[in-house]
Amino acid sequence: MKHLHLGEFEELVLLAVCGLGETAYAVPIQQRIETRTGRAATMGAVYAALDRLENKGFLASRLGAVTRQRGGKRKRFYEITGAGLAAVSAMRQARERMWDGLEWQPSLGLE
Amino acid sequence: MSLFKTKGEQKRGSPKAARWILRRWGPAHRHVEMAGDLEELYALRTKRYGPAKARRLYWQDVLSICFRRSLHARQTPHTLPYETARGPIMLKNYLKIALRNLKRQKGYTFINVAGLAVGLACCLLIVLYVQDERSYDRHHENADRIFRLTIEYTGDDGTHWAPIGPPVGQAFKAQMPEVEQIARIFPFGSRAVLQVEDQQFEESGGVYADSTVFEVFTLPLARGNPATALAAPGSIVLSERIARKYFGDDDPMGHAVTVTGWRDMTVTGIMKDVPPTTHLPFDFMVSMQTFYDQAGDWVEQARTWAGFYTYVLLREAHQTETITQKAPAFVNTFFEGRFEQPADEVMRFVLQPLPEIHLHSKLEKEYRANSDVLYVYVFSAIALFVLLIACINFVNLATARAATRMREVGVRKTLGAQRLQLARQFLGEAALMAAMALVLAGVLIVLWLPVFNHLTGKALTLADLQDPGLLLGLTGMALLTGLISGAYPAFVISGFRPTQALRGAGASKASQPALLRKGLVVFQFAISIFLLIGTAVVLNQLTFFRTKQLGFDKERVVHVRLGGELNDAIENNLETVKQELLRHPAILTVSMAADVPGERYSLENMTVDGHRDDEETMMRIAWGVDHDYIETLGIELAAGRDFSREAPADTNAWIVNEAAARRLGLDDAVGRVMRWGNYAGPIVGVAKDFHFASLHHEIEPLVIPLRPGVGGMLLARVQGEQMPGALAALEATLNDLVPGQLFRYSFVADDFDLLYRNEDKLRDVFGYFAAIAIFIACLGLFGLAAFTAEQRRKEIGVRKVMGATVPQIVLLLSKEFTVLVGIAFVVAAPAAYFAMQRWLEDFAYRVEISWPIFLIAGLAALGIAWLTVSYQSIKASVANPVESLRYE
């Protein structure tokens, strides 16, 4: 398999899927990114990122069962794969190695 | 935007126009989930930001989706399963459908699988047989460098002899530097009796062998030293089998073994059993020096005697050519003075490659009757035909059945199946069926192996099957059959348009290859009829062999082999023993002789005094005959008289058969003096021609010299029904003479039976394979009849409604097949006639192929076909028309 690049927005989506666990589908993913980063992503962007991640093999999806919610329309649930986990942790380690030994401490985002 | 605000929409929330746009322009295949997501978000956002912002964001999302091209792409991971069919989902579906089909049509499945399995099993067994036949003598490490040295006389009635003169081998080796080593084998004439302490056993496989036999052949010794085992006179090497029989678990080395009539031997070696795949099987070897010591000097002088099987080991396999070039010079010096012409004009050496002897050698005085490569061809051809029939069935039924699956094909195509997918599905199904047949074939082989071994006289075991190449080949064969049979539905039916297929128009199109299917049925029945006729002809010929009057009384003559002491004892008081035996009322006449009919007599040169310049003529000779021989065998005389005790001139006398008289050109043979070496005497009688050898050959010229008392065999003619009493009397008398000797007897009729072993084998093979071929052909016919009846259900229904009776409909359905069998007969009968005529040409005495054979074979095939079809046609014709017509 060729080297799979993980884009910045893709990383956020992937982490969101991780954080949501079993309830990861497009709506909570979009909401989580919005509440945690302040970035209001359009659904088009979210779907596109999910597709890309799935094509890269970092995510797997399945259609949920038909329920009474939202007019019986099914949800597509996402789940992180082993490759996906490896990709996010590699990204995190890379980041940490870059930060390592830096004197200047930036204030961390959300506060 | 406010334009679109309606009351209902306010209640539901999301902007109707945006929803419409999403449905119209968004990715259709994911519309449901996306619409759901957006709806959910809208509700959330309305709660959080109010409806206006929620609506704005809704629009934004819809547009972001619609304008993002990547989301429209169909190659995204979640398309409908039918559209990719790469995954195991479709495979599972194919498998499920395949198994359902097999289960629903149990009859078809059985017919198809069983037919192919039988074909495969037969074919595999025959491959095993052929493999075994071709493996003869290849177990010798030097097999490609070992040749048998044989001599061919090049005259008009030239004979080619397997054994050659005893001194030839050594001289040959001395003259030809290409020869690395030679080894000579001289078989014990008949069965030998071996004695260990007081146990006696009769053994058929005994030979004298040079001590070099271990250098030429691969004969591993379990005990003993190959360099010395056969060096000294009086040494004997036993096979492990014999050693176990005589000595049990004791160590046989150094023990004494008596070969009756010869002398005491010492066991000097135990060899591993000689494998059954050799043209030269033996159970024990006695050192050649033993024979030389007892026989005397004449052996070294007997240059032209065909006695010793001589094997040469060349340094290089290709040196046969140089040897062939040098051979005539050697022949001339070695046989100088033996013939009037230079020796190389009379004879030549022929080197036979060792591995080819078993299948290709049919010389005079072979060590054992060899097999014939013809049988390998016949077997292979039959195997191929049976497999072909089975494959044809498979294809036939698969195509017939495929028509019933038109609808499935139509539905699949409507749902988007590609042609290639359908092809793969059908091919896969056929392969599945072939795999099942393969498993069943394995079971059949295990069941049939004993029968097959009996049939072929082989000892094949399942272990022979564990050849990876063989198994791979068989699996390949099965799968190939599967693929070929799957090919029609795979590539033809998958090409129909869905509308055609669904409307059922395909069904008529599928029956287009009906001509092909009928052709295949004709072919199958033609082969079956061919085999039936073949079996009948072979049977007829064999019956003829067994019942033909041979010109002497073979039924009631028993012969007893004498050996060693017994022989000596009888030779010395022949007349007393005869008188003793004749006292028993069941025994009519007794004679002592060396040769009995049914054995191959040797060929010798005869001259008649004062006739044709003393020209030598080769004739068969019955040796060691006494005064009662002619009477005991019931041979009739055409002229002259029998040997007589009263006539003193009969100390040296001849009786010749009519063929011999004709060969000599003598109208008045009686009274002439005939000479054979230093035996000379008058011809006293001419015997009517009688069949002293098998009926394969014309009756050859035969001469019978009177030589009482050198027999080796006792012949007795017995009153028909009193055989047991006569045998008991014979045994008792001989036992009184020399107690404790093995009583070894057989009937001349049985000896003759053995001459037709090859034909017996052919009869069995023809018979069994005819049965199998018919079985498979019937399976095919049965399936096809069922299919036809099914296809014509509606027609039958209409006919019945219109007043057709059951017999009329049965007749209607049977007619078609009758015609097919008729055509098959017309094809097969002439082919069988010519083939069997060719086969019969091998026999000097043969039956005519008569028309009843054809009639019976044809009627049998027709009867079987009718029986097969009748079940289906009766079932179809008694069915209630309501059943078949109610959907119209």
Side-chain angles (χ1 to χ4, degrees), chain B residues 608 611-612 638-640 656-672 683-687:
Chain B
V608 174
H611 179 68
R612 287 186 182 172
V656 302
N657 69 357
E658 291 169 312
R662 274 197 303 276
R663 171 71 63 86
L664 291 167
L666 291 174
D667 295 330
D668 51 342
V670 178
R672 298 275 195 160
I683 296 173
V684 296
V686 177

Side-chain angles (χ1 to χ4, degrees), chain B residues 833-867:
Chain B
Y833 178 81
F834 286 116
M836 294 322 289
Q837 199 65 46
R838 279 288 308 279
W839 180 72
L840 284 174
E841 276 167 17
D842 275 356
F843 307 109
Y845 303 91
R846 53 181 179 253
V847 291
E848 291 296 314
I849 304 180
S850 51
W851 62 268
I853 289 181
F854 293 96
L855 192 69
I856 290 166
L859 286 180
L862 197 61
I864 292 166
W866 270 339
L867 267 179

Side-chain angles (χ1 to χ4, degrees), chain B residues 178-472:
Chain B
E178 293 85 356
V179 175
E180 186 177 318
Q181 190 53 278
I182 65 140
R184 296 169 305 163
I185 301 278
F186 177 53
F188 279 64
S190 54
R191 289 154 179 274
V193 176
L194 260 58
Q195 184 167 358
V196 174
E197 283 155 18
D198 53 355
Q199 304 182 78
Q200 282 188 345
F201 294 100
E202 191 178 17
E203 300 294 347
S204 58
V207 296
Y208 296 100
D210 278 326
S211 59
T212 51
V213 72
F214 299 108
E215 291 172 48
V216 174
F217 297 113
T218 305
L219 293 168
L221 285 183
R223 303 289 315 274
N225 178 359
T228 57
L230 289 176
S235 311
I236 186 168
V237 172
L238 304 177
S239 70
E240 283 183 326
R241 186 181 69 81
I242 288 210
R244 212 172 304 119
K245 184 159 92 181
Y246 291 1
F247 297 99
D249 294 332
D250 296 346
D251 181 9
M253 291 292 283
H255 267 276
V257 173
T258 309
V259 180
T260 48
W262 291 91
R263 52 180 274 187
D264 288 346
M265 313 278 175
T266 312
V267 179
T268 53
I270 305 296
M271 63 174 174
K272 300 260 184 236
D273 290 343
V274 176
T277 50
T278 178
H279 83 284
L280 190 66
F282 46 77
D283 274 325
F284 64 92
M285 292 188 286
V286 173
S287 60
M288 188 61 82
Q289 198 55 48
T290 319
F291 176 74
Y292 270 67
D293 284 359
Q294 307 229 358
D297 293 339
W298 67 268
V299 181
E300 271 308 295
Q301 304 308 319
R303 297 188 171 199
T304 51
W305 175 43
F308 281 38
Y309 299 95
T310 306
Y311 298 86
V312 301
L313 175 66
L314 300 187
R315 292 184 201 281
E316 308 277 346
H318 60 79
Q319 284 167 333
T320 45
E321 273 180 46
T322 32
I323 287 189
T324 317
Q325 281 163 14
K326 289 199 271 180
F330 171 75
V331 166
N332 277 338
T333 47
F334 188 77
F335 292 103
E336 199 175 357
R338 295 278 165 147
F339 308 97
E340 282 155 20
Q341 312 101 299
D344 67 332
E345 288 173 19
V346 179
M347 57 157 75
R348 65 189 190 98
F349 280 124
V350 178
L351 283 174
Q352 294 181 304
L354 182 71
E356 286 181 15
I357 293 175
H358 174 66
L359 286 180
H360 297 277
S361 178
K362 264 189 163 174
L363 310 187
E364 298 286 331
K365 248 175 128 172
E366 285 283 357
Y367 182 83
R368 291 278 159 86
N370 284 326
S371 181
D372 193 328
V373 75
L374 181 72
Y375 286 96
V376 171
Y377 292 146
V378 168
F379 268 57
S380 304
I382 289 179
L384 213 63
F385 274 133
V386 169
L387 187 65
L388 206 59
I389 291 187
C391 293
I392 287 170
N393 256 344
F394 203 85
V395 176
N396 221 342
L397 284 170
T399 50
R401 216 166 46 113
T404 65
R405 294 179 62 181
M406 280 295 159
R407 287 219 167 74
E408 183 193 333
V409 172
V411 170
R412 279 185 191 275
K413 289 204 121 180
T414 313
L415 289 174
Q418 309 280 311
R419 189 166 176 189
L420 207 64
Q421 283 176 291
L422 285 169
R424 260 184 291 171
Q425 183 196 349
F426 280 107
L427 287 178
E429 271 182 38
L432 182 74
M433 209 112 103
M436 287 166 64
L438 195 62
V439 173
L440 188 61
V443 175
L444 287 178
I445 286 168
V446 174
L447 293 178
W448 285 350
L449 203 54
V451 181
F452 188 73
N453 276 338
H454 175 71
L455 191 65
T456 57
K458 293 215 174 290
L460 300 172
T461 60
L462 286 178
D464 294 316
L465 280 170
Q466 287 163 359
D467 174 2
L470 194 67
L471 292 180
L472 210 67

Side-chain angles (χ1 to χ4, degrees), chain A residues 25 34 43-44 47 51 70, chain B residues 30 37 40 49 61 64:
Chain A
Y25 65 99
E34 190 173 322
M43 286 306 282
Y47 284 132
D51 276 1
R70 57 187 227 181
Chain B
R30 299 177 65 181
D37 286 346
E40 199 180 334
Y49 313 117
D61 282 336
S64 79

Side-chain angles (χ1 to χ4, degrees), chain B residues 607 609 649 651-654 673-682 707:
Chain B
T607 50
D609 281 358
T651 43
N652 281 2
W654 298 93
V673 172
M674 191 157 67
R675 209 171 276 285
W676 167 48
N678 51 15
Y679 182 101
R707 263 290 151 188

